[in-house]
Amino acid sequence: MTLDEVFASQSSIAAAVKQELDADMATFGYEIVNVLVTDIVPDAKVKSAMNDINAASANKWRRTPGRGRENSGGKEGRSRAESKALQGQGIANQRKAIIEGLQASIEQFQKVVEGARRKKSCS
């Protein structure tokens, strides 16, 4: 996967990790309720290389003859916008996974603790 694909597929990565852990931990009598991928932090060398690539690309774009000032951020801007969109999807998937994990934890708690039930809201 590319780094952008990793950010966009955090929930599927978490599901794959859960599947592997379920199989491994079941032999020890443990059940994995949920796996959350909360933050993806690439190695410092990867970050540096990506920054260098982005800077070189931006410089090349700006130095290309016939490019007006209004176009100087076009390709770079689209790339940045796509990256931000993927990061947003990753964050949304992360939050969804957290909520699903909390719901699963509450359901599991209700099964284990006798008499536990959800309190109805006043609104």
Side-chain angles (χ1 to χ4, degrees):
M1 284 186 187
T2 66
L3 195 55
D4 288 339
E5 290 170 338
V6 170
F7 278 106
S9 59
Q10 286 182 0
S11 60
S12 61
I13 293 169
V17 170
K18 181 184 182 312
Q19 185 178 9
E20 287 290 322
L21 285 175
D22 278 339
D24 291 343
M25 298 305 287
T27 59
F28 299 106
Y30 288 98
E31 176 187 357
I32 305 300
V33 176
N34 203 1
V35 173
L36 300 176
V37 176
T38 58
D39 198 10
I40 296 173
V41 181
D43 185 83
K45 291 178 183 177
V46 174
K47 281 184 183 179
S48 177
M50 290 179 65
N51 288 337
D52 292 346
I53 290 168
N54 287 338
S57 175
N59 287 336
K60 179 181 176 185
W61 179 259
R62 287 186 194 113
R63 284 186 270 177
T64 303
R67 300 282 183 218
R69 186 168 176 82
E70 66 277 1
N71 291 333
S72 65
K75 194 176 200 179
E76 180 184 352
R78 283 190 299 277
S79 179
R80 203 176 306 132
E82 288 175 17
S83 175
K84 292 292 183 187
L86 288 173
Q87 286 176 349
Q89 288 174 350
I91 291 169
N93 289 340
Q94 174 185 348
R95 290 178 179 162
K96 180 180 176 188
I98 290 170
I99 290 170
E100 290 171 355
L102 290 172
Q103 287 174 334
S105 295
I106 290 169
E107 289 170 6
Q108 187 69 21
F109 180 80
Q110 289 173 338
K111 289 178 187 175
V112 174
V113 178
E114 191 175 316
R117 59 187 163 87
R118 193 171 85 185
K119 182 179 178 182
K120 294 183 181 183
S121 63
C122 298
S123 54

